[in-house]
Amino acid sequence: MDRRQFLGAAAVSAAGMGAIGWLGHRLFFAQSVPEALRQAKSLGKAVLVLVIPEDGGRQYEHGEIFGALLNHGDTYAYLDLALCELACATMKELQEHGINVAGEPLMLLLESDFPRDAATPVDPDIAEDLPSVRDVGFQRANRVAEERMYKVAGALQVALSATPIATRARRAETHLPRREVAALHADLEAGRIPNPTALDRGAAIVRAFGHAHRNGDLLAALADATAGRVKGTPPVGAKWARATGCGTYLEDEGPNTNIGCGMGFVPDVSERFLRFFTE
């Protein structure tokens, strides 16, 4: 059974048991993008919108793709994610907020200081449906999922690189509180690694300093701080869910769907994924 069939079977099983299944949840998040833009502007960051497809089946695939990136990205991926606040939205919701982009890309990068019509699609050419384990085996299927994750991370890196890190650092210094910027610079100049919150809030400043001084320990600390953020509270409009061959459940509710082991295969990097909720 492939991933999409497996998740569909899990939802049906939950309903049959009378459990509170995924399909009964509705989270209204019409303000998620404006709130993310406000937060991003206060930090001098960009907003990375994880686009929710209109098609329900594709929502599972996209949630799996984003889950892999946020949970299993490498240091370079987290250094890029450090420059972004996250939000989830459908293209229809984005259009309601004046953000007009053709098609339905995987992600959108919004620079909080730029006009919204300058949104950059991040839409790498990837296979959304993974190959059948029956056809390629477990190892190959896992490898394809990892390769897809790195393609997505690479596309994000290209989109972010259009704005030099020095420009992003100056933007952060303009928008962050002066005392916070001064304290951050004092730590960096003294060779101290700031606490995780300070690192992540001042990510562009930290990255610019780390690159200029070739400070690998500082950059690694920034990547770790960002990993903690993006693996924690999910973006508004989504919840963290887990799936293996033996069941599927939302993390904040605990296991509520139990089906026979072996009914489905989930790549290692996709076991923890985002489950989207729409109006």
Side-chain angles (χ1 to χ4, degrees), residues 119-184:
T120 302
V122 183
D123 198 24
D125 182 15
I126 57 174
E128 294 194 356
D129 289 318
L130 295 176
S132 168
V133 174
R134 184 177 301 173
D135 294 335
V136 301
F138 288 102
Q139 289 187 343
R140 177 56 184 162
N142 273 317
R143 190 158 57 249
V144 170
E146 291 176 351
E147 290 169 353
R148 182 175 66 177
M149 175 186 69
Y150 288 123
K151 267 193 173 182
V152 173
L156 175 60
Q157 183 179 63
V158 170
L160 285 165
S161 65
T163 301
I165 192 62
T167 300
R168 294 188 183 279
R170 288 193 295 270
R171 187 187 302 168
E173 290 182 346
T174 298
H175 289 287
L176 285 167
R178 291 184 179 180
R179 289 185 178 180
E180 185 174 347
V181 173
L184 182 60

Side-chain angles (χ1 to χ4, degrees), residues 45 79 82-83 176 180 184 187-188 192-207 217-226 229:
K45 293 191 178 189
L79 288 176
L83 304 175
L176 285 167
E180 185 174 347
L184 182 60
D187 280 342
L188 296 177
R192 297 188 296 266
I193 293 182
N195 65 60
T197 299
L199 285 168
D200 190 59
R201 283 176 58 84
I205 299 171
V206 174
R207 273 194 61 170
D217 290 341
L218 177 64
L219 294 175
L222 171 59
D224 287 343
T226 302
R229 168 169 62 90

Side-chain angles (χ1 to χ4, degrees), residues 61-126:
E61 302 299 337
H62 282 217
E64 178 183 278
I65 291 167
F66 298 141
L69 177 66
L70 300 183
N71 287 290
H72 298 282
D74 59 16
T75 296
Y76 299 104
Y78 288 127
L79 288 176
D80 287 332
L81 289 168
L83 304 175
C84 307
E85 292 293 301
L86 302 179
C88 300
T90 64
M91 293 304 296
K92 181 180 178 181
E93 288 164 338
L94 290 169
Q95 290 167 0
E96 290 173 355
H97 294 297
I99 302 169
N100 295 299
V101 174
E104 193 179 65
L106 182 68
M107 301 182 287
L108 276 181
L109 183 66
L110 308 177
E111 298 291 354
S112 56
D113 279 2
F114 296 168
R116 294 186 184 181
D117 59 2
T120 302
V122 183
D123 198 24
D125 182 15
I126 57 174

Side-chain angles (χ1 to χ4, degrees), residues 45-64:
K45 293 191 178 189
V47 174
L48 182 63
V49 181
L50 311 180
V51 176
I52 304 175
E54 292 293 337
D55 177 77
R58 292 183 65 226
Q59 288 180 16
Y60 292 125
E61 302 299 337
H62 282 217
E64 178 183 278

